[in-house]
Amino acid sequence: MPKVLLFIALLFFTYQLQAQSTWEIGGSIGGAGYIGDLNPNNPVKVSGVSAGIYGKRNFDGYFSAKLNVAVGNIAAYDSRSNNQQFRERNLNFKDQLRELSLIGEFNFMNYIPDAGPNRYTPYIFTGIGITSYAPQAQDYQGGTRSLRPLKTEGQIKPYGNNTLVIPYGLGIKYNFSGKFTIMADMGYRYVFTDYLDDVSGVYPDKHGMGTTAALLSDRSGELTGHYIGSAGSQRGDFKAHDTYFFLNFTIAFTFVTAKCYY
């Protein structure tokens, strides 16, 4: 999949090579969050930090395409939920997401740093990418355990460690000085897995599971001694996909020459 993305990126970045276009580089920092089985209702809850770098081809003042590399940390804890059922379930996870994506961007106003008619513009974007994920949990002894190999929902084989994602979002950019731009955007990722958090469906039959897997599959009784995770009862929200997002603040430099736009 990474080879396919790189091939598509080359096609995008060589498209209109002879036209009036510019190159741009940038870096971002911000927050990351997730919507899924441990956080189904708050689409703007930030649970970790994010950072990224990119290279972009601006085809004109409206359209561009960029190759983006980003890292973000997400986490959720049932014990901190306002929902009593979640607190009784008592699951938790943390995950570091690593994304490679190809993103197309559209400016609503003709925007060329230090050369165009507008100093700011709102914009929208979408694209395609691949993300690696590896959920972990704090265990009953205070340590950290990787959850995928434990097959906590009784899977025959572990779920994958990479997933296809579709980024989409909106933002605003401002040419604050010369060829420098600052941007703020909110970008969600439609994810083709429901296991960013290691939670999806029902509790398994714990007979035949390893001790650690069984203990981390059903954690409801760690405080009370009463376990609610009988085989076949609901563990996740039964939705087919998780979602994550990056809230980015970016600074960028555009390589603009006078002959490009005058």
Side-chain angles (χ1 to χ4, degrees):
M1 183 63 70
K3 292 182 179 179
V4 174
L5 288 175
L6 289 174
F7 176 73
I8 296 174
L10 289 174
L11 292 180
F12 267 98
F13 290 161
T14 55
Y15 179 68
Q16 292 187 347
L17 193 59
Q18 303 303 317
Q20 294 178 336
S21 54
T22 62
W23 288 100
E24 179 182 314
I25 57 173
S28 64
I29 59 172
Y34 120 105
I35 305 97
D37 303 80
L38 275 69
N39 177 41
N41 298 319
N42 189 343
V44 293
K45 183 177 182 179
V46 174
S47 58
V49 297
S50 66
I53 57 174
Y54 71 84
K56 181 191 291 185
R57 188 68 167 175
N58 298 305
F59 301 127
D60 53 30
Y62 293 97
F63 293 96
S64 62
K66 69 178 181 181
L67 188 64
N68 186 67
V69 178
V71 177
N73 296 316
I74 58 173
Y77 299 84
D78 278 347
S79 60
R80 303 174 186 175
S81 174
N82 294 324
N83 186 306
Q84 178 65 29
Q85 290 181 321
F86 282 25
R87 293 197 300 272
E88 291 175 355
R89 183 178 60 179
N90 196 38
L91 296 174
N92 71 78
F93 87 99
K94 63 180 181 179
D95 204 340
Q96 183 175 87
L97 308 175
R98 300 181 181 185
E99 177 188 292
L100 173 67
S101 56
L102 179 65
I103 296 176
E105 193 173 284
F106 173 73
N107 298 325
F108 285 97
M109 301 163 65
N110 186 9
Y111 181 81
I112 307 160
D114 201 35
N118 300 298
R119 295 198 66 180
Y120 72 93
T121 181
Y123 62 95
I124 56 175
F125 59 88
T126 189
I128 190 170
I130 186 169
T131 295
S132 66
Y133 64 102
Q136 299 178 318
Q138 183 178 0
D139 66 19
Y140 44 89
Q141 295 177 326
T144 299
R145 296 278 185 162
S146 295
L147 295 171
R148 186 173 69 92
L150 297 179
K151 298 179 286 187
T152 56
E153 293 192 348
Q155 300 97 325
I156 296 175
K157 61 180 182 179
Y159 47 81
N161 54 11
N162 296 293
T163 179
L164 191 69
V165 299
I166 299 178
Y168 60 94
L170 53 83
I172 189 166
K173 61 183 68 172
Y174 175 69
N175 178 208
F176 76 97
S177 177
K179 299 176 178 63
F180 286 94
T181 295
I182 54 174
M183 291 172 270
D185 63 54
M186 184 71 150
Y188 288 86
R189 271 64 175 170
Y190 183 87
V191 180
F192 289 82
T193 182
D194 193 32
Y195 282 106
L196 294 183
D197 49 18
D198 190 63
V199 183
S200 180
V202 299
Y203 287 98
D205 183 349
K206 300 180 186 66
H207 294 93
M209 295 180 72
T211 301
T212 300
L215 289 171
L216 294 182
S217 174
D218 180 9
R219 310 192 62 173
S220 56
E222 289 182 9
L223 298 178
T224 65
H226 174 64
Y227 288 86
I228 63 174
S230 58
S233 62
Q234 183 175 353
R235 186 171 187 259
D237 60 12
F238 296 128
K239 294 181 180 179
H241 306 279
D242 291 326
T243 300
Y244 69 91
F245 68 83
F246 293 144
L247 174 61
N248 287 324
F249 300 94
T250 303
I251 185 167
F253 180 84
T254 303
F255 298 90
V256 180
T257 59
K259 67 179 181 180
C260 288
Y261 294 101
Y262 291 106

